[in-house]
Amino acid sequence: MRKIAFYGKGGIGKSTTASNVSAALSLMGKRVCQIGCDPKNDSTRLLLGHICQSTVLDILRTRDTGDIRKEDIIHTGFNGITCVEAGGPEPGVGCAGRGIIVALELLDRMKALPESDVILYDVLGDVVCGGFAMPIREGYAEEIYIVSSGELMSLYAANNIAKGIARFASRGKVRLAGIIGNSRNVPGEKELLLAFAERLHTHLAAFIPRDKTVNLAENHRQTVLQYAPDSLQAEVYRKLAETILSNEEGTIPKPMSFDEMEEMVARYGSED
């Protein structure tokens, strides 16, 4: 079983990328499980066709652990993909990171997840606190992909995530599997991401072009693979899924200083 996590800055397109990759993998015949680790519980929206209304933490708030059934927290999405949303605390109350810990531990205790070829964790990465780092720290995920654009703060979040991976790699199997570039059409973006990946001691696994097809599919609450399966954008996600399945280039990253990042962004971002 491949245990994969997508990390990245909030709003960078992790969930869209994760859902399209999950869809592509399932259409390749793989048994896929996607677990959303974000209090917004929107990771699996495109796979389910709606926002998940029954997250792990929602159920825990209303029932004793012994009264929870697998079907309360395990949902089936597009092409049979298993979908789980960890959820989060009520707004303004509690710690979202702690919620991730509680949710993943419950799934473990219940042995709730069906057998899968690929488990994909979709994790918020603005702040790599103990809870959000749990998929890395506790070995839930071994292959970490960082989704980033060529914008400075997206790279800043990516670099922080790389620091977390480097910290835990020394005592476990977790490795940085690559950078997934999700384009924002900023100047010199692909060249910047290639240089950034090389500096982190990894590679650019894919560069996903900005395309209106993605927005149209999201408006219809579908992945691109479902909404426009014959589009060029669908082919981009298929190729990324194939890259992930064949990728054996896991590394221990070498994070940059903020000054180095600023200099790199200034250099490549000035090239139109």
Side-chain angles (χ1 to χ4, degrees), residues 52-127:
C52 178
Q53 300 296 332
S54 182
T55 72
V56 177
L57 290 188
D58 285 339
I59 296 296
L60 277 171
R61 277 192 286 269
T62 59
R63 300 186 195 175
D64 293 331
T65 302
D67 295 329
I68 298 175
R69 304 166 301 169
K70 292 181 182 180
E71 54 265 35
D72 295 327
I73 53 179
I74 305 296
H75 313 282
T76 302
F78 172 70
N79 204 38
I81 296 169
T82 300
C83 299
V84 181
E85 290 283 355
E90 294 290 344
V93 180
C95 169
R98 177 61 188 164
I100 302 303
I101 294 173
V102 170
L104 294 184
E105 287 179 345
L106 178 64
L107 290 169
D108 260 359
R109 286 200 305 275
M110 291 181 64
K111 294 181 169 50
L113 298 178
E115 286 192 17
S116 303
D117 300 309
V118 179
I119 293 185
L120 200 163
Y121 296 88
D122 175 15
V123 193
L124 183 66
D126 289 88
V127 180

Side-chain angles (χ1 to χ4, degrees), residues 44-250:
T44 57
R45 173 178 173 268
L46 302 181
L47 298 173
L48 293 172
H50 54 81
I51 286 286
C52 178
Q53 300 296 332
S54 182
T55 72
V56 177
L57 290 188
D58 285 339
I59 296 296
L60 277 171
R61 277 192 286 269
T62 59
R63 300 186 195 175
D64 293 331
T65 302
D67 295 329
I68 298 175
R69 304 166 301 169
K70 292 181 182 180
E71 54 265 35
D72 295 327
I73 53 179
I74 305 296
H75 313 282
T76 302
F78 172 70
N79 204 38
I81 296 169
T82 300
C83 299
V84 181
E85 290 283 355
E90 294 290 344
V93 180
C95 169
R98 177 61 188 164
I100 302 303
I101 294 173
V102 170
L104 294 184
E105 287 179 345
L106 178 64
L107 290 169
D108 260 359
R109 286 200 305 275
M110 291 181 64
K111 294 181 169 50
L113 298 178
E115 286 192 17
S116 303
D117 300 309
V118 179
I119 293 185
L120 200 163
Y121 296 88
D122 175 15
V123 193
L124 183 66
D126 289 88
V127 180
V128 191
C129 72
F132 292 116
M134 188 177 180
I136 299 174
R137 187 181 70 245
E138 300 299 330
Y140 284 95
E142 296 176 352
E143 304 171 47
I144 313 300
Y145 288 88
I146 302 175
V147 181
S148 179
S149 70
E151 298 160 304
L152 178 61
M153 296 317 295
S154 178
L155 295 170
Y156 176 75
N159 195 62
N160 276 343
I161 295 161
K163 289 178 182 178
I165 297 168
R167 177 182 297 275
F168 296 115
S170 61
R171 70 184 201 194
K173 296 181 180 179
V174 64
R175 295 291 185 271
L176 177 57
I179 304 294
I180 297 172
N182 199 33
S183 177
R184 293 296 182 91
N185 284 343
V186 298
E189 188 169 29
K190 185 173 183 179
E191 292 73 17
L192 170 57
L193 286 166
L194 284 165
F196 178 71
E198 183 178 7
R199 176 60 182 77
L200 285 189
H201 192 49
T202 187
H203 71 292
L204 187 63
F207 183 74
I208 301 171
R210 196 168 183 84
D211 191 292
K212 67 180 181 180
T213 307
V214 177
N215 301 101
L216 291 171
E218 288 185 340
N219 290 342
H220 286 81
R221 295 176 292 185
Q222 296 178 358
T223 63
V224 173
L225 277 296
Q226 183 180 4
Y227 176 76
D230 298 324
S231 65
L232 292 175
Q233 196 73 4
E235 187 60 24
V236 170
Y237 291 120
R238 288 191 193 96
K239 287 182 179 177
L240 174 54
E242 291 169 358
T243 296
I244 288 171
L245 286 180
S246 63
N247 187 15
E248 297 181 0
E249 295 185 36

Side-chain angles (χ1 to χ4, degrees), residues 6-20 34 37-38 40 43 120-126 145-148 161 182:
F6 281 14
Y7 276 81
K9 181 181 181 297
I12 201 58
K14 290 184 309 303
S15 297
T16 299
T17 305
S19 294
N20 277 285
Q34 182 166 317
C37 299
D38 187 319
K40 297 193 303 298
S43 171
L120 200 163
Y121 296 88
D122 175 15
V123 193
L124 183 66
D126 289 88
Y145 288 88
I146 302 175
V147 181
S148 179
I161 295 161
N182 199 33

